Amino acid sequence: LALYFQSGEREEKCIIEDVPSDTLVIGNYKVQRWDIHKQEFLESAPGLGMFVTVTTPDGEVLLSKLYGPQGTFSFTSYLSGEHAICFQSNSTRLVAFAGSKLRIHLDIRVGEHFLDESVVQAKDKVNEVNIRLEHLIEQIHHISKEQNYEREREEKFRKTSEETNSNILWWAVVQTGILISIGIWQIKSLRDFFISKKLV
């Protein structure tokens, strides 16, 4: 996932990332500050840091750390679900004077495991092949984990759909019963009315 978004200097911006449990998430970001005189975003924002906060689906803070104008953060999820990744600058200016716009470039990789440096330094082909094979096995485990997570979500959605359909059916039966009861009551009331007026 690669994207960029704009934010106020003191504003907190969050994105939601749906992550399976026990999965490594790595994020790279770069912050640019709007220059009023040049009317463009500067490539660097000296002195500006970013607080990165990651919150689990149950509201627990998994990561909360101050980084520089660009940096890399990582965390491993222990719960599956929607994780909130939030960014806020460490600007100390008052809100009234903190009018600068920020542009945040963000690249998030989920479940990516990088090859160890030993691959580059491997002297013989056997070691290099072994290390690459281990890396491929890790990736297969991650793909399998992702598929299991998607299967769980699909099963949960199917159960919810079935429960909703069942509730709709019972509600239709109850409505039909109410309508029939009201019809019988109206017919009885009219009959009693006509009998009391001696029209029948």
Side-chain angles (χ1 to χ4, degrees):
L1 172 69
L3 57 98
Y4 77 86
F5 53 91
Q6 292 186 5
S7 170
E9 196 168 334
R10 297 281 302 272
E11 187 181 0
E12 184 181 52
K13 286 277 185 160
C14 299
I15 64 160
I16 303 294
E17 189 68 34
D18 205 349
V19 182
S21 62
D22 193 30
T23 301
L24 176 67
V25 178
I26 298 171
N28 289 303
Y29 74 88
K30 179 177 76 172
V31 182
Q32 296 173 306
R33 180 185 268 149
W34 178 255
D35 189 294
I36 299 169
H37 305 295
K38 294 183 180 178
Q39 290 293 300
E40 63 180 1
F41 284 100
L42 296 178
E43 272 309 306
S44 62
L48 188 67
M50 293 298 285
F51 285 106
V52 179
T53 308
V54 178
T55 310
T56 63
D58 63 358
E60 186 181 335
V61 175
L62 197 60
L63 171 73
S64 182
K65 192 173 175 184
L66 176 63
Y67 294 89
Q70 64 181 33
T72 300
F73 62 91
S74 65
F75 64 92
T76 301
S77 62
Y78 66 89
L79 277 178
S80 57
E82 295 181 341
H83 288 66
I85 303 171
C86 300
F87 297 86
Q88 185 177 26
S89 74
N90 67 339
S91 174
T92 55
R93 295 200 284 177
L94 296 172
V95 176
F97 300 105
S100 291
K101 286 188 293 184
L102 302 175
R103 179 189 281 169
I104 302 167
H105 297 263
L106 180 61
D107 179 27
I108 292 181
R109 294 184 298 277
V110 177
E112 192 165 313
H113 294 275
F114 298 106
L115 281 174
D116 198 271
E117 285 297 316
S118 53
V119 173
V120 180
Q121 297 167 356
K123 300 245 171 148
D124 56 54
K125 288 287 180 187
V126 176
N127 281 345
E128 186 179 343
V129 169
N130 280 340
I131 292 168
R132 286 187 185 277
L133 191 59
E134 286 173 13
H135 179 65
L136 285 173
I137 290 168
E138 270 186 32
Q139 286 182 325
I140 290 167
H141 284 311
H142 171 67
I143 290 167
S144 172
K145 200 185 305 174
E146 284 259 351
Q147 287 176 334
N148 289 337
Y149 176 57
E150 291 301 325
R151 201 175 292 118
E152 284 172 20
R153 287 183 63 191
E154 187 182 346
E155 189 177 333
K156 187 177 176 184
F157 178 74
R158 187 172 45 79
K159 281 181 183 174
T160 305
S161 298
E162 286 172 1
E163 286 172 11
T164 304
N165 287 340
S166 174
N167 290 340
I168 288 170
L169 176 65
W170 281 110
W171 178 241
V173 168
V174 168
Q175 278 185 321
T176 306
I178 290 170
L179 286 172
I180 290 170
S181 303
I182 290 172
I184 291 170
W185 177 76
Q186 283 181 330
I187 290 169
K188 186 180 179 307
S189 298
L190 280 170
R191 191 170 153 254
D192 291 345
F193 174 75
F194 288 142
I195 289 172
S196 67
K197 296 291 182 182
K198 296 183 180 176
L199 296 172
V200 177

